[in-house]
Amino acid sequence: MIHVRIQQNQHEDIVAFVMSGHAEAGPHGQDIVCAGASAVSIGAVNAIHALCDVDIVVDSAGEGGYLKCAVPSGLTTRIFEDVQLLLQGLKLSLEAMMETYPSFITVEIDRR
């Protein structure tokens, strides 16, 4: 199962997210849940870099199955808001996947 933990601050801004595990919803190379979760998460990171000119802090491990991303500090208000819009889109996509495939992906919101 893919476990996603989205970390939000007291203002409900997304400050980090961690994805770990494998969906195992199908044979290797045909797992649409894994492919979808990977596509939306890497797509969000790439969009933040390309559209906002922000290098989000990324940690990934080995052959996949782990991705940790954190929003860097010191962004202007405008850039921070743009980054938040992209991360909120990621959150909505992952939550929609969880509703459709609850046996293969969970999304937890961690408010600190």
Side-chain angles (χ1 to χ4, degrees), residues 3-19 56-57 66-72 80 83-84 87-88 90-91 94-95 106-112:
H3 299 280
V4 181
R5 190 178 84 243
I6 298 173
Q7 202 173 358
Q8 294 182 313
N9 64 19
Q10 65 273 17
H11 305 292
E12 297 190 11
D13 298 317
I14 296 173
V15 295
F17 70 91
V18 178
M19 292 179 59
I56 197 160
V57 180
Y66 181 80
L67 177 65
K68 179 179 180 181
C69 299
V71 177
F80 184 78
V83 169
Q84 286 305 302
L87 289 174
Q88 291 296 332
L90 169 64
K91 178 184 169 194
L94 292 170
E95 288 174 335
T106 62
V107 179
E108 170 188 340
I109 308 302
D110 182 10
R111 292 184 176 90
R112 294 183 184 203

Side-chain angles (χ1 to χ4, degrees), residues 54-81:
V54 170
D55 289 323
I56 197 160
V57 180
V58 176
D59 180 20
S60 60
E63 307 256 335
Y66 181 80
L67 177 65
K68 179 179 180 181
C69 299
V71 177
S73 60
L75 301 178
T76 66
T77 300
R78 167 64 194 239
I79 296 296
F80 184 78
E81 289 171 352

Side-chain angles (χ1 to χ4, degrees), residues 2 23-40 97 100-101 104-105:
I2 297 172
E24 299 181 16
H28 182 72
Q30 298 178 13
D31 186 336
I32 63 170
V33 178
C34 187
S38 296
V40 298
M97 291 179 68
T100 305
Y101 303 102
F104 302 108
I105 183 169

